[in-house]
Amino acid sequence: MGESADAGAEWRPDPQNPRMQRWWDGVAWTNKTRYEAAQLRAEPLTAPPPAPPKERSRVRPDVVRKVLLTAAFLVVVAVLLVLFVMHT
């Protein structure tokens, strides 16, 4: 690659990719690469956007009514069954 052996180790433009830099160890190119500093953009650190509020589960009145009616029916059946067993 035409570099002299007396040149110091440093990051240099990658001869195969102009957007990258490659580490020259003073003797030969290495496999270490990085983007050129001019191409790196420092973006300000910001907090991620807040998570949307969790939706509270809604109690459906029709379901509550059905559950209560079923429970009441079972209580009535149980009472009638007890009364029937006691009379026999």
Side-chain angles (χ1 to χ4, degrees):
M1 314 245 161
E3 301 294 336
S4 64
D6 60 339
E10 63 185 354
W11 288 103
R12 297 186 181 185
D14 187 338
Q16 297 172 350
N17 185 346
R19 297 182 312 168
M20 303 290 289
Q21 291 182 333
R22 186 170 294 274
W23 184 253
W24 174 258
D25 67 6
V27 177
W29 294 107
T30 67
N31 289 332
K32 298 176 186 175
T33 59
R34 69 178 185 184
Y35 286 100
E36 282 193 51
Q39 294 205 357
L40 296 177
R41 261 187 258 142
E43 297 192 20
L45 296 176
T46 58
K54 291 185 178 179
E55 207 173 298
R56 295 176 64 191
S57 63
R58 298 180 188 165
V59 178
R60 293 179 34 194
D62 59 324
V63 173
V64 172
R65 182 173 173 228
K66 288 177 184 176
V67 168
L68 291 176
L69 286 174
T70 302
F73 174 76
L74 291 175
V75 169
V76 170
V77 169
V79 169
L80 291 175
L81 188 60
V82 168
L83 290 174
F84 178 75
V85 170
M86 289 176 64
H87 275 294
T88 56

